[in-house]
Amino acid sequence: GAGNVSLDKNRQELSAAEEEISALQAKLADTEREVEGKRAEVDRMRSTITQLKQMLNEEHARVWEYQLGAEAVQEEKEELELKLAALQRHYTEACAQLLGEEANRVYE
């Protein structure tokens, strides 16, 4: 009678609810996989960013070394130019002295 009808109705509702729960669990599993994928992607990006920062720091260090090297070379060049100027002065003075001595010898 009427009791069986309501029992059947309850079973159908229960069955529908179980299907809905199954569908939601499947959706949840998909979402969790998606989240894991995104996490992995974020980790890869972080790793890439870390590598790029490291490369940038190494590049900065290299530029710094080049600048220091260039400054050292410039200082050395200036020192050599001073030495060269001094040598040229000595040479000029020595030549003048020799010429003077030659001239004296000629007039003796």
Side-chain angles (χ1 to χ4, degrees):
N4 281 353
V5 171
S6 76
L7 197 59
D8 277 348
K9 195 174 178 217
N10 282 347
R11 278 201 192 114
Q12 282 174 350
E13 284 175 7
L14 190 59
S15 179
E18 281 172 351
E19 279 174 29
E20 207 177 317
I21 287 171
S22 271
L24 286 172
Q25 283 175 332
K27 198 172 178 184
L28 182 60
D30 285 346
T31 304
E32 281 173 347
R33 273 195 294 277
E34 215 175 295
V35 167
E36 279 309 307
K38 295 274 185 223
R39 275 204 188 111
E41 209 176 305
V42 167
D43 286 344
R44 279 195 298 276
M45 285 178 180
R46 279 205 182 109
S47 165
T48 301
I49 287 169
T50 302
Q51 286 175 338
L52 289 173
K53 277 183 181 170
Q54 216 172 336
M55 286 165 67
L56 193 61
N57 287 339
E58 286 167 15
E59 206 52 43
H60 278 312
R62 211 169 292 137
V63 167
W64 185 244
E65 278 175 37
Y66 283 143
Q67 284 176 335
L68 289 180
E71 285 169 19
V73 167
Q74 183 61 32
E75 282 174 23
E76 205 174 317
K77 179 177 171 258
E78 287 166 8
E79 280 174 31
L80 288 172
E81 284 170 348
L82 288 175
K83 284 180 185 170
L84 180 63
L87 285 172
Q88 283 171 333
R89 272 196 308 277
H90 288 311
Y91 175 76
T92 306
E93 287 165 12
C95 285
Q97 203 175 342
L98 279 174
L99 284 172
E101 285 171 12
E102 282 298 314
N104 287 344
R105 211 172 283 130
V106 168
Y107 289 114
E108 274 173 5

